Amino acid sequence: MVISNTSPLLYLYRVGGLEWLPQLFDQVWIPTAVKTELEAGIKRSYDVPVITNYEWLHIVDPKNVPSEWLSLDLGFGELAAMALALENPTHIVLLDDLLARRTGQAAGLNVWGTLRIILEAKSNKLIERVEPWIDHLQRNGMWISHPVKQRILALAKEI
């Protein structure tokens, strides 16, 4: 089971990998805050997924958000996804933002990002190589440092 923030859904959608999620996980949850962020993007004519087109996405909201997280510079989607993961500790939470990732890891959450999904897609034979997907992510606005790209390629045994 996985809980996603907005950015992994957005990036996977833009590179054609969003359909990997139901192939990799039994259930995919998003909080209403993530749905709201995506709907705001649609209203601004951004290239974002329309949630209602993906029947495998389930809207699930956390009961509460830890008050100490509210002072951090995090979006509502990140806060809600992490809070939901805190209430469901066996679930993976998908986060790309560095502050969100560090906050989630400090809280003991199992944090993955979009790049981990690409590695898992290769591991599960959904794709043959990760490098073209990383390049595609970069062309679609995801900033990936050279050392991170090299580490991902090494993990994928492509260098």
Side-chain angles (χ1 to χ4, degrees):
M1 306 254 268
V2 71
I3 299 162
S4 186
N5 178 41
T6 308
S7 66
L9 296 175
L10 177 66
Y11 287 124
L12 289 170
Y13 168 76
R14 287 185 177 169
V15 300
L18 192 55
E19 292 294 338
W20 298 336
L21 293 179
Q23 295 176 62
L24 296 172
F25 302 100
D26 293 334
Q27 287 191 27
V28 182
W29 292 0
I30 61 168
T32 300
V34 168
K35 181 179 182 244
T36 301
E37 288 177 352
L38 290 170
E39 288 170 345
I42 291 167
K43 288 178 184 170
R44 292 185 180 103
S45 300
Y46 296 147
D47 184 24
V48 300
V50 177
I51 294 305
T52 55
N53 292 345
Y54 303 95
E55 71 283 343
W56 45 265
L57 276 173
H58 303 279
I59 308 295
V60 181
D61 288 313
K63 291 177 181 65
N64 61 48
V65 174
S67 59
E68 61 271 18
W69 288 355
L70 297 176
S71 64
L72 300 175
D73 187 25
L74 296 171
F76 293 118
E78 292 163 333
L79 290 168
M82 290 190 310
L84 188 57
L86 199 60
E87 294 170 4
N88 296 276
T90 61
H91 292 40
I92 293 164
V93 62
L94 300 180
L95 303 164
D96 286 327
D97 177 81
L98 184 59
L99 178 59
R101 293 174 63 83
R102 286 185 176 160
T103 303
Q105 289 165 341
L109 303 178
N110 187 2
V111 178
W112 289 15
T114 301
L115 295 175
R116 174 71 183 265
I117 294 297
I118 290 175
L119 285 169
E120 293 297 320
K122 180 179 179 179
S123 172
N124 284 272
K125 301 185 183 341
L126 301 176
I127 59 174
E128 289 184 31
R129 299 183 66 241
V130 301
E131 187 170 28
W133 295 94
I134 292 172
D135 293 341
H136 198 28
L137 282 169
Q138 289 178 305
R139 285 192 304 275
N140 279 278
M142 185 177 204
W143 186 82
I144 303 167
S145 71
H146 183 71
V148 168
K149 181 177 180 178
Q150 294 305 302
R151 189 167 72 233
I152 297 298
L153 294 175
L155 288 169
K157 298 181 177 23
E158 293 183 18
I159 57 170

